[in-house]
């Protein structure tokens, strides 16, 4: 969609009557204007729809990222980070879970931003509804907008649970004023998202010439994810606990993760997991990237349509950017999760097991070094920037540790090529992959494990582990054993496992593969594991990270954000607060 976003800039400048977007725009001579009827024609309809696509990057910002990394810091994978507790204070309060307030500004902010995005999508669908419904282009663009509408509702539902759905055409002011966030039960809410996606799946093509547009496989991957959330029923109004797991929903996950859907478009695993997180043109939109948010550079705007959503995650980089914000810090617990035993499987630690450090004799999964930057290794695999356990590499002086998230960052050597200093903070042109093929494999594995088909589930997990194993010899970190004294050991699972053991293996593998991609917290809530896992994390980690002392996750409350006070107050009594005595 780098092409799509470029078109958006031109269209918006023309609509707004601007003449100074860039020199190249000044050279363009307006040929005509479009009437309300003309803009509905297939050849012109994108002039309206492009604003919906552009909302994926223009409406979010670094404090309210649509990737939701800010909210993954509630899990055991990461700390908020920053300079100190007052830096991004509401997010630090959120990661402790003890004094979260309905008036804390981030919740209303992310709520408003997603609904602004949905308003653009709704306008597009209203316009499409007035166009020629027999036209193939109109049908496909309608499918794309339903996919985007599903994306906005899905993210909001993961955050807030009880949300109003903007899912009707030509809504009036009265319609908006009378919307309720309990019009649908929790199960019915997931179904509203599924309805949009199933409509999209029926129409979307196998491939798209413009990469940011969703394909049939993208809709399938999205459907699998929503059905997986829906399968774990949480329909008790006074609780967030999983009351049952629905077999029909699990079967839908299996259906929409059928390998043939993805093979038709050439999707599969990259040889090196790191290829999914590189900005170079030869890696973006690669074989594992099923749908990604597209960012651009040098497109005639001041900074390009760059990825500003991750700019707070950039650490201090000596002689490059000494004041990096240094948020979204990988936890000690996450790093330790990559330790392996003599069989090359995840290590079951004991109280005597030492925390992992580079140079120790402990063996680890190679994915650790693609996910987390550790002292003693090069930042973004560039030996000119060796990370160390010093304040030079930690904005907080070590208060939140010295680990760095790698998946959102870009090699500093590519300054002014793929990473740019925009207003004294870094932004890059690297895509954000929303659905990748490894996730599809693991969703299928989870559904099969829950269907009591452990052998099939483990076979899929082993596909992901075999890729990880190959990275020891063929990846950006394959020389780490020789250069930095690390020891890789990873193997597939062998033998026979029952249903419960298979599910635990799938859960572990999702963490290792998708760490720092903002999935962990939502997985824990979906499984009903959040309170147990996070409170165990607080107990063990607070001895090492003092700011976690006193933290506590309250079940049937902290699984979801409170409905923002501003929204409740403006709802004319039509909104209901989530359970938990907010």
């Amino acid at each position: 969609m780098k092409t799509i976003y470029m078109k958006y800039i031109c269209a918006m400048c023309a609509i707004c009557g601007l003449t100074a977007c860039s020199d190249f725009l000044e050279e363009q001579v307006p040929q005509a204007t479009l009437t309300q009827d003309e803009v509905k024609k297939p050849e012109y309809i994108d002039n309206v729809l492009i604003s919906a696509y552009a909302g994926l990057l223009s409406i979010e910002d670094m404090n309210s990222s649509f990737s939701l990394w800010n909210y993954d810091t509630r899990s055991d994978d990461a700390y908020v980070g920053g300079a100190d507790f007052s830096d991004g204070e509401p997010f630090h309060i959120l990661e402790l879970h003890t004094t979260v307030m309905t008036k804390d500004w981030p919740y209303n902010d992310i709520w408003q931003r997603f609904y602004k995005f949905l308003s653009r999508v709704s306008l597009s669908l209203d316009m499409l509804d007035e166009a020629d419904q027999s036209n193939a282009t109109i049908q496909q663009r309608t499918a794309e907008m339903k996919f985007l509408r599903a994306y906005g509702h899905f993210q909001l539902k993961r955050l807030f649970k009880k949300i109003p759905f903007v899912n009707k055409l030509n809504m009036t002011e009265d319609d908006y004023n009378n919307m309720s966030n309990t019009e649908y039960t929790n199960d019915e809410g997931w179904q509203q998202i599924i309805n949009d996606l199933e409509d999209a799946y029926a129409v979307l093509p196998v491939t798209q010439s413009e990469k940011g547009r969703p394909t049939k496989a993208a809709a399938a991957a999205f459907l699998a994810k929503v059905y997986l959330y829906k399968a774990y029923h949480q329909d008790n109004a006074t609780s967030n606990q999983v009351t049952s797991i629905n077999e029909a929903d699990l079967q839908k996950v299996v259906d929409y993760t059928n390998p043939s859907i993805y093979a038709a478009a050439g999707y599969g695993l990259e040889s090196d997991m790191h290829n999914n997180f590189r900005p170079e043109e030869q890696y973006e939109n690669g074989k594992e990237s099923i749908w990604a948010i597209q960012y651009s550079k040098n497109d005639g705007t001041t900074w390009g349509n760059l990825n500003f959503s991750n700019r707070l995650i950039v650490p201090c980089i000596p002689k490059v950017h000494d004041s990096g914000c240094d948020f979204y810090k990988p936890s000690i617990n996450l790093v330790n999760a990559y330790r392996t035993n003599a069989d090359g499987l995840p290590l079951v630690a004991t109280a005597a097991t030492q925390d992992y450090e580079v140079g120790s004799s402990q063996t680890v999964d190679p994915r650790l070094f693609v996910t987390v930057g550790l002292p003693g290794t090069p930042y973004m695999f560039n030996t000119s920037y060796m990370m160390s356990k010093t304040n030079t590499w930690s904005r907080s002086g070590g208060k939140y540790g010295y680990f760095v998230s790698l998946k959102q960052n870009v090699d500093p050597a590519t300054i002014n090529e793929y990473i740019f200093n925009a207003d004294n903070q870094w932004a890059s042109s690297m895509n954000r992959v929303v659905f990748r093929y490894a996730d599809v494999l693991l969703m299928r594995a989870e559904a099969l494990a829950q269907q009591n088909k452990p052998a099939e589930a483990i076979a899929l997990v082993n596909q992901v582990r075999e890729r990880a194993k190959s990275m020891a010899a063929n990846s950006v970190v394959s020389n780490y054993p020789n250069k930095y004294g690390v020891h890789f050991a990873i193997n597939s699972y062998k033998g026979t496992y029952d249903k419960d053991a298979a599910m635990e293996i799938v859960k572990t593998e999702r963490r290792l593969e998708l760490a720092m991609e903002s999935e962990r917290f939502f997985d824990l809530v979906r499984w009903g594991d959040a309170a147990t896992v996070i409170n165990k994390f607080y107990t063990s980690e607070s001895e090492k990270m003092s700011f976690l002392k006193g933290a506590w996750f309250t079940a049937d409350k902290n699984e979801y954000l409170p409905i923002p006070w501003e929204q409740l107050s403006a709802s004319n009594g039509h909104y209901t607060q989530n359970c938990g005595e907010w």
Side-chain angles (χ1 to χ4, degrees), residues 58-268:
S58 63
I59 292 176
E60 68 170 350
D61 78 353
M62 62 186 182
N63 294 300
S64 292
S65 170
F66 282 7
S67 74
L68 306 185
W69 68 261
N70 323 61
Y71 297 96
D72 190 44
T73 57
R74 292 176 287 177
S75 77
D76 52 350
D77 271 8
Y79 318 124
V80 171
D84 52 41
F85 191 78
S86 64
D87 191 15
E89 184 175 11
F91 291 108
H92 283 290
I93 291 172
L94 186 62
E95 76 175 328
L96 304 182
H97 284 112
T98 50
T99 56
V100 177
M101 304 294 289
T102 64
K103 291 185 178 181
D104 290 341
W105 68 262
Y107 319 140
N108 192 54
D109 193 63
I110 193 70
W111 177 290
Q112 287 184 320
R113 288 177 185 276
F114 270 117
Y115 279 107
K116 286 178 181 177
F117 166 69
L118 285 170
S119 73
R120 294 192 184 192
V121 177
S122 292
L123 174 64
S124 298
L125 284 166
D126 289 346
M127 189 71 71
L128 284 160
D129 186 56
E130 297 179 20
D132 179 5
Q133 298 302 298
S134 67
N135 183 273
T137 297
I138 296 300
Q139 293 171 5
Q140 183 175 314
R141 295 298 182 258
T142 300
E144 292 174 19
M145 291 301 105
K146 287 188 175 182
F147 181 98
L148 294 189
R149 184 165 69 181
Y151 177 74
H153 284 138
F154 175 72
Q155 295 290 61
L156 282 162
K157 187 152 181 55
R158 291 205 294 179
L159 287 170
F160 295 100
K161 190 177 185 180
K162 294 178 181 176
I163 63 167
F165 281 84
V166 187
N167 57 357
K168 300 175 180 66
L169 291 170
N170 302 306
M171 292 180 67
T172 66
E173 184 175 349
D174 282 344
D175 290 332
Y176 284 109
N177 288 338
N178 292 303
M179 289 178 70
S180 167
N181 70 336
T182 54
E183 178 182 359
Y184 305 104
T185 66
N186 191 54
D187 190 59
E188 291 169 345
W190 291 123
Q191 188 62 48
Q192 300 310 303
I193 300 170
I194 287 167
N195 292 344
D196 272 346
L197 290 172
E198 289 186 332
D199 287 349
Y201 179 78
V203 174
L204 288 171
V206 173
T207 61
Q208 294 266 25
S209 59
E210 294 176 303
K211 294 296 184 181
R213 297 189 189 274
T215 61
K216 187 172 290 291
F222 201 169
L223 275 163
K225 180 149 287 191
V226 182
Y227 269 116
L228 200 52
Y229 274 78
K230 182 174 178 286
Y232 295 85
H233 282 196
Q234 298 179 15
D235 267 337
N236 185 333
T238 62
S239 170
N240 294 325
Q241 300 307 301
V242 176
T243 56
S244 64
I245 301 176
N246 185 271
E247 172 61 32
D249 291 337
L250 292 175
Q251 185 55 46
K252 287 290 188 179
V253 177
V254 174
D255 294 343
Y256 284 115
T257 56
N258 189 307
S260 64
I261 297 172
Y262 305 91
Y267 293 115

Side-chain angles (χ1 to χ4, degrees), residues 81-85 87 316 324-326 329 390-391 393-402 545:
D84 52 41
F85 191 78
D87 191 15
C316 302
C325 290
D326 203 28
K329 304 283 284 180
T390 64
N391 292 351
W393 277 95
S394 174
R395 187 172 171 224
S396 67
K399 184 181 297 183
Y400 306 111
Y402 298 93
M545 308 302 286

Side-chain angles (χ1 to χ4, degrees), residues 285-302:
N285 300 306
K287 65 186 294 188
E288 197 168 336
S289 176
I290 297 172
W291 187 62
I293 309 300
Q294 309 285 311
Y295 297 92
S296 63
K297 57 177 183 169
N298 303 326
D299 57 10
T301 65
T302 302

Side-chain angles (χ1 to χ4, degrees), residues 388-554:
S388 60
K389 194 179 287 188
T390 64
N391 292 351
T392 305
W393 277 95
S394 174
R395 187 172 171 224
S396 67
K399 184 181 297 183
Y400 306 111
Y402 298 93
F403 301 143
V404 174
S405 179
L406 298 181
K407 288 181 176 178
Q408 297 83 7
N409 287 315
V410 174
D411 184 355
T414 63
I415 289 174
N416 296 325
E417 184 178 7
Y418 299 110
I419 184 171
F420 303 84
N421 190 338
D423 301 325
N424 201 38
Q425 287 182 319
W426 295 109
S428 78
S429 61
M430 182 171 67
N431 288 355
R432 177 170 65 81
V433 180
V434 178
F435 301 113
R436 62 183 179 96
Y437 188 66
D439 192 5
V440 171
L441 290 175
L442 294 173
M443 288 191 291
R444 185 175 181 84
E446 182 175 338
L448 290 168
Q450 291 287 18
Q451 289 182 327
N452 200 19
K453 299 176 182 177
E456 294 179 54
I458 296 301
L460 292 163
V461 167
N462 282 341
Q463 285 189 45
V464 178
R465 291 187 68 79
E466 283 297 316
R467 190 264 294 274
K469 182 178 179 180
S470 72
M471 289 167 58
N474 181 28
S475 75
V476 71
V477 299
S478 59
N479 65 347
Y480 276 33
N482 290 333
K483 296 194 72 171
Y484 309 114
V486 304
H487 303 278
F488 293 149
I490 178 171
N491 284 303
S492 296
Y493 288 92
K494 299 176 177 63
T496 302
Y497 298 89
D498 63 16
K499 174 183 176 179
D500 291 341
M503 265 307 298
E504 288 306 311
I505 287 170
V506 170
K507 289 177 180 181
T508 297
E509 199 63 27
R510 281 193 67 82
R511 187 185 192 191
L512 298 175
E513 178 68 22
L514 303 174
M516 307 304 289
E517 295 179 47
S518 306
E519 291 292 310
R520 176 65 171 172
F521 179 80
F522 301 109
D523 279 347
L524 292 174
V525 171
R526 175 165 59 82
W527 295 324
D529 292 347
T532 300
V533 170
I534 294 172
N535 284 329
K536 182 179 178 181
F537 164 71
Y538 288 152
T539 300
S540 63
E541 205 93 341
S542 62
E543 297 302 315
K544 308 161 189 175
M545 308 302 286
S546 60
F547 71 91
L548 290 175
K549 289 183 177 179
W552 186 256
F553 185 102
T554 301

